[in-house]
Amino acid sequence: MTTEQNATRRGRLPMHLEISEMLAREIKAGVILDGEKLEPERVMAKRLGIAVGTLRKALAQLHENGLLERVQGSGNYVRNTGTDNTIYGYFRLELLTGGGLPSATIVSVDAITDTDTVRFSEQGDYYRIRRLRHLNGTGAALEEIWLDAAYVTTPITPQHLSDSLYQFYKSELGIWISRVEDSISADQPPDWRPADFCPAAKPCWGYVERTGWDQHGRQMEFSKTWFDTDTTRYLARWK
Amino acid sequence: MTTEQNATRRGRLPMHLEISEMLAREIKAGVILDGEKLEPERVMAKRLGIAVGTLRKALAQLHENGLLERVQGSGNYVRNTGTDNTIYGYFRLELLTGGGLPSATIVSVDAITDTDTVRFSEQGDYYRIRRLRHLNGTGAALEEIWLDAAYVTTPITPQHLSDSLYQFYKSELGIWISRVEDSISADQPPDWRPADFCPAAKPCWGYVERTGWDQHGRQMEFSKTWFDTDTTRYLARWK
DNA sequence: TTGATGAATTGATATACAATTGATTATAGT
DNA sequence: ACTATAATCAATTGTATATCAATTCATCAA
């Protein structure tokens, strides 16, 4: 017995469950990409400051959940094919310090019929959703999403909007994103920015325009995102 | 046993998988055309610095995926049906109007030994290359590339710098980029910006930091790019 | 035109060593 | 009973090297 074991861990989950949940979060969030190989168990255990046996319990848990493939003599390989938000593994906002758990609060939801801001719906009816996006609880970005109203047959609830919209689309409406294009530039923040949101932010923000197409090649989404470059960056990866 | 084998390959995929993924990317991207014949296995293995058996594992993998036809006594032939539908992402600078033929002029090439700007070389020796990048002839971005001098065994010529460095590395030195990460933010342009380069540009530019790793997982490149948001945007495309 | 020959190339297999995970056992704390 | 640590050994894979078999292809001669 070396260090703490259980003395200082009162009220917390067992170590192996904490580890497996941490890794599961990273896999689902796309921090660890599909196909990626983890460090050797002994190296990883040493880095985490735990015994190999404990780590192996955590990895076995991930294997049961289908998130990890364990190959004797080779290594542990991440399997993340089932989730629909694999895009986040490649393009996403994250903290300058790395990572960050995303959350969002809704500013407004409006049905807009005639507009020149966007033009991809056939009927010309849109939903415009404005959200404040946070990473680890701190304000990171302002977001304005435009949806083709013809798609939205089920009423949108705040619950849907604070979660992943893509998840909602796939499970409720049977459509999913098959292609995404992001255009990144710099701009001033929009006028609907709350005064208390990133008060120290510079007048120059990062600006992302995202266009999303569904599996039939129809444009289904257009969004604008202004992010505070003092705390947040846009990350693009290519494996 | 030759050199490193697995010592420096922690967390990286097995070599034969790295090789097959690299070749698969080149086939899908059209770098290697349909029907093209690969080098003899022994030649190719020697150029890549691996054993024939390892290369053969990689080629067998490609054959399983239907990307390669292997004819005993003749050679390995690429089969690119174009029906492949795997995830593919990429990112680049392009004009606001779309596209743009890239070109570059060199501002300076310096050998720098002690610096705190970057830190990824073991010896601490770098080449710093500063370029002006143009799209369709108009100024688009300023670029500062840092290379590990330990890699550069062959003298760099201006030809290499205006062409793709990646191509040079792969064919001449047997190393290639297997992973890239871009971090996009906003910033002021650097002080070495020529006065006549984008004179109308705003004081706030788009700013990209790129990190590139080779097939061994060693960082081999770091670059900074400032782009003029009046003319240029950073584009990220997925699938 | 035909057939034989030999070089070049890939196919297949075996060996040796290293690296990695799988599994078991023992010990101790809560 | 559950959790955590530690120390084993076994089983599998990864890589390098070597050797031989099978196939293709070009060349040459009849």
Side-chain angles (χ1 to χ4, degrees):
Chain A
M1 206 67 44
T2 52
T3 53
E4 41 173 352
Q5 186 142 326
N6 276 336
T8 63
R9 298 189 43 73
R10 241 177 263 285
R12 301 173 61 182
L13 281 175
M15 182 70 75
H16 66 272
L17 288 181
E18 278 200 17
I19 301 284
S20 69
E21 288 199 4
M22 175 196 69
L23 288 171
R25 273 200 305 272
E26 288 191 342
I27 292 172
K28 287 173 187 166
V31 178
I32 310 176
L33 293 177
D34 179 60
E36 207 163 302
K37 180 181 170 183
L38 299 183
E39 300 169 290
E41 293 175 351
R42 283 155 181 78
V43 176
M44 193 170 178
K46 192 167 188 179
R47 186 171 57 80
L48 294 172
I50 60 173
V52 179
T54 308
L55 175 60
R56 286 180 55 77
K57 263 187 191 169
L59 297 179
Q61 178 80 30
L62 290 172
H63 177 68
E64 278 186 12
N65 297 346
L67 292 171
L68 197 67
E69 190 178 335
R70 313 191 64 191
V71 183
Q72 181 171 167
S74 180
N76 293 295
Y77 298 86
V78 171
R79 286 287 164 255
N80 186 22
T81 52
T83 58
D84 48 37
N85 51 355
T86 48
I87 308 168
Y88 291 130
Y90 297 93
F91 313 137
R92 65 166 182 268
L93 291 181
E94 75 169 37
L95 292 173
L96 291 184
T97 54
L101 186 66
S103 59
T105 57
I106 297 156
V107 176
S108 64
V109 179
D110 297 294
I112 294 179
T113 50
D114 285 321
T115 178
D116 287 333
T117 309
V118 294
R119 175 156 303 280
F120 61 87
S121 164
E122 291 185 3
Q123 285 80 12
D125 298 332
Y126 301 93
Y127 281 105
R128 190 192 64 189
I129 302 152
R130 287 176 167 169
R131 307 196 301 181
L132 304 181
R133 289 188 53 186
H134 299 81
L135 291 171
N136 282 353
T138 62
L142 302 159
E143 192 176 51
E144 187 176 284
I145 308 171
W146 294 77
L147 297 176
D148 189 337
Y151 276 113
V152 186
T153 55
T154 311
I156 302 182
T157 70
Q159 174 63 22
H160 293 140
L161 297 179
S162 51
D163 282 0
S164 167
L165 271 174
Y166 297 159
Q167 195 116 17
F168 166 71
Y169 269 122
K170 188 173 183 185
S171 59
E172 300 294 320
L173 308 179
I175 55 179
W176 61 87
I177 289 279
S178 74
R179 188 176 145 223
V180 165
E181 209 174 282
D182 282 355
S183 172
I184 298 101
S185 177
D187 202 357
Q188 295 177 343
D191 53 10
W192 54 271
R193 169 193 170 206
D196 61 338
F197 188 82
C198 300
K202 294 181 290 188
C204 178
W205 288 46
Y207 175 60
V208 181
E209 278 184 1
R210 166 165 293 191
T211 308
W213 291 264
D214 70 6
Q215 72 270 26
H216 303 112
R218 284 187 300 235
Q219 185 175 346
M220 66 176 278
E221 182 192 311
F222 179 78
S223 73
K224 305 176 175 188
T225 305
W226 295 262
F227 64 94
D228 174 11
T229 58
D230 281 341
T231 60
T232 314
R233 60 175 181 167
Y234 178 94
L235 183 75
R237 289 200 290 179
W238 181 76
K239 69 159 197 169
Chain B
M1 201 69 46
T2 52
T3 49
E4 41 169 356
Q5 184 134 332
N6 273 336
T8 63
R9 298 188 43 75
R10 289 211 171 112
R12 298 297 303 170
L13 290 177
M15 183 61 79
H16 65 272
L17 290 181
E18 293 268 6
I19 304 277
S20 68
E21 284 197 7
M22 174 199 68
L23 289 172
R25 275 202 302 270
E26 292 192 342
I27 292 172
K28 289 173 197 163
V31 178
I32 308 176
L33 297 178
D34 181 64
E36 198 164 317
K37 179 181 173 181
L38 298 182
E39 302 168 286
E41 293 177 349
R42 283 155 180 79
V43 175
M44 193 171 179
K46 191 166 188 179
R47 185 173 58 79
L48 295 173
I50 61 171
V52 179
T54 307
L55 175 60
R56 286 178 55 76
K57 256 186 193 171
L59 298 179
Q61 176 84 27
L62 290 172
H63 179 68
E64 274 186 16
N65 298 348
L67 291 169
L68 196 68
E69 191 176 336
R70 313 191 64 190
V71 184
Q72 182 170 161
S74 177
N76 293 293
Y77 298 88
V78 171
R79 285 285 166 260
N80 185 12
T81 55
T83 58
D84 203 283
N85 210 19
T86 54
I87 294 171
Y88 189 66
Y90 60 92
F91 26 87
R92 60 160 187 263
L93 291 181
E94 72 169 42
L95 292 172
L96 291 184
T97 54
L101 184 67
S103 60
T105 58
I106 297 160
V107 174
S108 65
V109 179
D110 298 294
I112 294 180
T113 50
D114 285 321
T115 178
D116 287 333
T117 309
V118 295
R119 176 155 300 281
F120 62 87
S121 164
E122 290 185 3
Q123 285 81 10
D125 298 332
Y126 302 93
Y127 282 106
R128 190 193 64 190
I129 302 152
R130 286 177 169 169
R131 307 197 301 182
L132 304 181
R133 289 187 54 185
H134 299 80
L135 290 171
N136 281 354
T138 64
L142 301 159
E143 191 177 53
E144 187 175 283
I145 308 172
W146 294 78
L147 296 175
D148 189 337
Y151 277 114
V152 186
T153 55
T154 311
I156 301 184
T157 69
Q159 176 64 21
H160 292 140
L161 295 179
S162 50
D163 281 2
S164 169
L165 272 173
Y166 297 160
Q167 192 92 24
F168 167 72
Y169 270 122
K170 177 168 170 293
S171 59
E172 300 295 319
L173 307 179
I175 55 178
W176 64 90
I177 289 281
S178 72
R179 190 175 140 226
V180 169
E181 206 173 286
D182 280 358
S183 171
I184 298 100
S185 178
D187 202 358
Q188 295 176 345
D191 51 11
W192 54 272
R193 170 194 168 204
D196 61 338
F197 189 82
C198 297
K202 294 180 288 187
C204 178
W205 290 44
Y207 176 59
V208 182
E209 277 186 1
R210 165 165 296 191
T211 308
W213 291 266
D214 71 4
Q215 74 271 27
H216 304 295
R218 284 186 300 233
Q219 186 176 343
M220 68 175 278
E221 184 192 320
F222 179 79
S223 73
K224 305 176 175 188
T225 304
W226 295 263
F227 63 93
D228 175 11
T229 57
D230 281 341
T231 61
T232 313
R233 61 176 181 167
Y234 178 97
L235 183 74
R237 195 173 276 171
W238 182 80
K239 187 139 171 154

